[in-house]
């Protein structure tokens, strides 16, 4: 397994990332590989996948490496970068916190995560409204025909036709 890793490292350094991934995979699959070495092979395969912009593969391999070695910084850095490229801002923020990155970087990721959450929420509400309107249209109505009011005393909501 170590010989395959060394060969894969040489291929990686020569920018032959596809072949390097293959050899890292062979090393990972080898029997009797200690967990700390398997974590290195996984993180190295993640580095090659990152060069090929295969970000889902990077997250998978780096996460497996971290399962085997939770303190493995290189794997955490690679996963954070891939999560950012996938616009998984919350995941990238969690990784950045573990890496103890500067406050400005944490703020940038936190802002991006909040913006994505707001966008996702808005898209979900729009889809739900579309579904509701498609059902109500069978009866000649739409959600715009209704008003929702919150009862200040009980906190419950009342739905009324306009």
């Amino acid at each position: 397994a170590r010989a395959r890793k060394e060969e894969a490292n040489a291929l990686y350094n020569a920018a032959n990332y596809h072949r390097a991934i293959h050899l890292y995979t062979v090393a990972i699959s080898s029997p009797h590989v200690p967990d700390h070495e398997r974590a290195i092979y996984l993180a190295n395969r993640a580095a090659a996948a990152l060069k090929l912009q295969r970000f889902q593969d990077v997250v998978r391999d780096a996460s497996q490496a971290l399962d085997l070695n939770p303190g493995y910084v290189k794997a955490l850095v690679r996963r954070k970068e891939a999560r950012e490229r996938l616009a998984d801002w919350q995941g990238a923020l969690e990784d950045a916190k573990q890496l103890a990155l500067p406050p400005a970087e944490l703020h940038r990721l936190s802002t991006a995560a909040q913006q994505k959450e707001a966008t996702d929420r808005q898209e979900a509400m729009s889809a739900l409204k579309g579904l509701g309107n498609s059902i109500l249209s069978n009866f000649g109505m739409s959600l715009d025909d209704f008003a929702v009011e919150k009862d200040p005393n009980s906190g419950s909501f009342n739905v009324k036709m306009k």
Side-chain angles (χ1 to χ4, degrees):
R2 286 187 187 135
R4 295 287 179 240
K5 177 203 166 227
E6 294 306 321
E7 192 177 344
N9 286 349
L11 289 166
Y12 177 90
N13 290 331
N16 190 343
Y17 304 119
H18 291 284
R19 184 82 177 120
I21 286 172
H22 172 73
L23 289 179
Y24 287 130
T25 301
V26 171
I28 290 162
S29 302
S30 298
H32 312 296
V33 175
D35 284 351
H36 71 278
E37 286 184 33
R38 193 176 311 278
I40 292 169
Y41 304 160
L42 284 160
N44 287 358
R45 187 169 72 177
L50 191 59
K51 292 289 189 177
L52 295 172
Q53 299 184 13
R54 292 169 37 185
F55 304 119
Q56 293 286 3
D57 293 344
V58 176
V59 171
R60 182 198 64 229
D61 285 350
S63 294
Q64 288 178 4
L66 289 163
D67 288 343
L68 296 171
N69 182 357
Y72 195 7
V73 173
K74 284 183 180 180
L76 195 56
V77 168
R78 291 171 185 150
R79 186 174 72 179
K80 176 204 162 281
E81 186 172 337
R83 284 177 162 177
E84 277 193 72
R85 301 294 290 272
L86 291 167
D88 174 7
W89 303 111
Q90 189 60 44
L93 177 61
E94 291 168 12
D95 289 346
K97 286 178 181 176
Q98 288 184 49
L99 290 165
L101 294 182
E105 176 70 359
L106 296 177
H107 178 72
R108 180 184 69 80
L109 292 170
S110 177
T111 300
Q114 289 169 0
Q115 288 173 344
K116 184 172 187 320
E117 184 180 331
T119 300
D120 290 350
R121 187 173 31 254
Q122 185 177 16
E123 288 173 0
M125 291 304 293
S126 179
L128 286 171
K129 186 174 181 181
L131 175 64
N133 283 333
S134 71
I135 294 168
L136 289 172
S137 68
N138 295 323
F139 304 100
M141 297 186 285
S142 80
L143 287 174
D144 294 331
D145 297 332
F146 297 90
V148 177
E149 297 172 351
K150 184 174 183 178
D151 184 332
N153 297 325
S154 68
S156 64
F157 291 89
N158 297 314
V159 178
K160 298 179 181 180
M161 284 198 77
K162 292 182 182 175

